[in-house]
Amino acid sequence: MERINVSTVSEFIFVGLSDAPEVRFLLFVLFLLIYLATLAGNITILVAVSTDSRLHNPMYFFLCNLSLLDILCPTITVPKMLDALLFENKAISFTGCMVQLFFLIDVVGTEIFLLAVMAYDRYVAVCYPLQYMNIVNMKLCAHLAIGTWIAGFFNSLLHTSFIFTLFFCDSNKVVQYYCDIPPLLALSCSPTYTRELVILTVAGVLGSGAFLVTLISYVYILLTVLHTNSAESRHKAFSTCGSHLTVVCLFYGTTICTYVRTSSSYSPYQDRIISMLYGIFTPLLNPMIYSLRNKEVKSTLQRMTRQIRTAL
């Protein structure tokens, strides 16, 4: 390929999506249905919590933040992927790529911190039930939620600034369906050692720290549950905590595998699968795992359904 000067790189091209028309259309339908289901599930949670005063408590406040993040995360990447699959429009401007990267890292980072906060909230609720409302009051919840969004913003600003100042002089083909740190680092002809070291350090410390807070919180929850006398309560807690931990480990594991490593170990095809797990499938699963199995949420949804039927 002819060598390109950085000043002439005005766009990136997403490659690696199927070139077979029949496969492209099937993938388009599949990801469109997943995206619509994700939007429907998370919007339902937001509407249910906002319209039912019984759900105005810390747990559901954090769940609303999670649902909002789960709407934003696929919305940042999936529409462009659908456009590429249906219309073969695989180009994105340099500025558009950086904007997409910034918001993606912002949302993913915020969700990492939020999951840790949610685990702490459940730890206090299970281990200190009588003091729960005094410890985790709505003022603290607001501060914690705002803190996760601010931390995600500055984390993304740091990483995006490192990528934005890179030189791209050999290729503009991104082997991914969206702009992300690993494929852009692999494309750059600038020295990336210092940037990779900072990215690895920041992502490793913040990601591992949040994961440890989450894991330790659930360990204490499980230990507390084991000392309860009710077998039914133990079964319910194990079922809930098990499903939560499954989603948490899936999200943390895939994001850490994506960002906490050097560009020399970058594998575009493996990364595409991993990124779909945390970017597409986890936002779909979160409403079902965290909210739609909950009795209070089910009761609210049933009431909403009856009201809609009556209105119709």
Side-chain angles (χ1 to χ4, degrees):
M1 172 177 267
E2 186 180 346
R3 191 174 181 82
I4 328 172
N5 189 292
V6 66
S7 61
T8 65
V9 177
S10 59
E11 65 179 18
F12 291 99
I13 307 296
F14 297 126
V15 299
L17 297 173
S18 177
D19 292 324
E22 62 278 5
V23 176
R24 282 206 319 269
F25 181 73
L26 290 175
L27 290 175
F28 170 82
V29 173
L30 173 64
F31 289 120
L32 177 62
L33 291 176
I34 292 174
Y35 178 56
L36 292 177
T38 300
L39 292 182
N42 286 289
I43 290 173
T44 299
I45 299 304
L46 290 174
V47 173
V49 173
S50 62
T51 56
D52 193 337
S53 59
R54 294 174 300 174
L55 303 181
H56 293 176
N57 59 53
M59 182 178 75
Y60 292 106
F61 172 76
F62 291 130
L63 283 174
C64 281
N65 279 268
L66 182 64
S67 290
L68 181 57
L69 290 169
D70 285 338
I71 290 171
L72 293 174
C73 187
T75 300
I76 293 167
T77 59
V78 173
K80 180 60 184 174
M81 179 180 68
L82 296 176
D83 184 34
L85 286 170
L86 190 62
F87 301 109
E88 298 188 67
N89 181 19
K90 300 178 181 180
I92 186 171
S93 68
F94 183 86
T95 303
C97 183
M98 293 303 112
V99 170
Q100 186 184 62
L101 175 67
F102 173 81
F103 283 110
L104 177 67
I105 302 301
D106 184 9
V107 168
V108 170
T110 302
E111 185 159 341
I112 286 175
F113 303 135
L114 182 64
L115 288 173
V117 168
M118 291 173 65
Y120 170 75
D121 169 69
R122 291 298 85 204
Y123 157 73
V124 177
V126 173
C127 299
Y128 303 97
L130 299 180
Q131 305 172 39
Y132 174 67
M133 293 308 298
N134 292 326
I135 298 174
V136 188
N137 53 57
M138 290 307 296
K139 184 178 180 180
L140 177 63
C141 290
H143 288 163
L144 289 173
I146 292 171
T148 62
W149 286 88
I150 292 175
F153 173 83
F154 283 107
N155 175 62
S156 179
L157 189 64
L158 173 68
H159 292 318
T160 308
S161 63
F162 284 152
I163 302 300
F164 187 76
T165 54
L166 290 173
F167 291 91
F168 299 94
C169 52
D170 290 323
S171 174
N172 64 343
K173 294 186 176 180
V174 180
V175 189
Q176 183 57 284
Y177 65 91
Y178 62 92
C179 291
D180 201 4
I181 292 175
L184 291 177
L185 282 174
L187 278 182
S188 174
C189 57
S190 301
T192 60
Y193 176 77
T194 304
R195 289 176 173 83
E196 287 185 48
L197 185 61
V198 174
I199 290 171
L200 284 172
T201 303
V202 173
V205 170
L206 295 180
S208 301
F211 177 69
L212 282 176
V213 169
T214 305
L215 186 62
I216 292 171
S217 296
Y218 277 111
V219 168
Y220 276 105
I221 289 171
L222 292 175
L223 290 175
T224 301
V225 169
L226 285 173
H227 288 86
T228 61
N229 297 322
S230 171
E232 183 181 352
S233 297
R234 285 199 300 271
H235 175 75
K236 180 181 178 181
F238 279 128
S239 174
T240 303
C241 290
S243 58
H244 286 192
L245 275 175
T246 299
V247 175
V248 165
C249 290
L250 176 65
F251 185 79
Y252 278 118
T254 51
T255 50
I256 289 174
C257 284
T258 299
Y259 299 111
V260 187
R261 64 180 182 186
T262 60
S263 60
S264 59
S265 61
Y266 170 64
S267 172
Y269 302 103
Q270 178 182 331
D271 265 39
R272 201 176 312 140
I273 296 173
I274 292 175
S275 64
M276 285 183 180
L277 289 176
Y278 74 78
I280 296 178
F281 292 104
T282 301
L284 174 67
L285 293 175
N286 278 342
M288 294 181 282
I289 296 297
Y290 282 101
S291 303
L292 298 179
R293 299 170 60 198
N294 187 290
K295 288 183 179 179
E296 289 84 359
V297 175
K298 285 182 179 178
S299 174
T300 300
L301 293 178
Q302 289 171 355
R303 179 181 58 79
M304 289 172 57
T305 303
R306 287 194 299 268
Q307 289 177 345
I308 293 172
R309 287 178 177 174
T310 301
L312 294 175

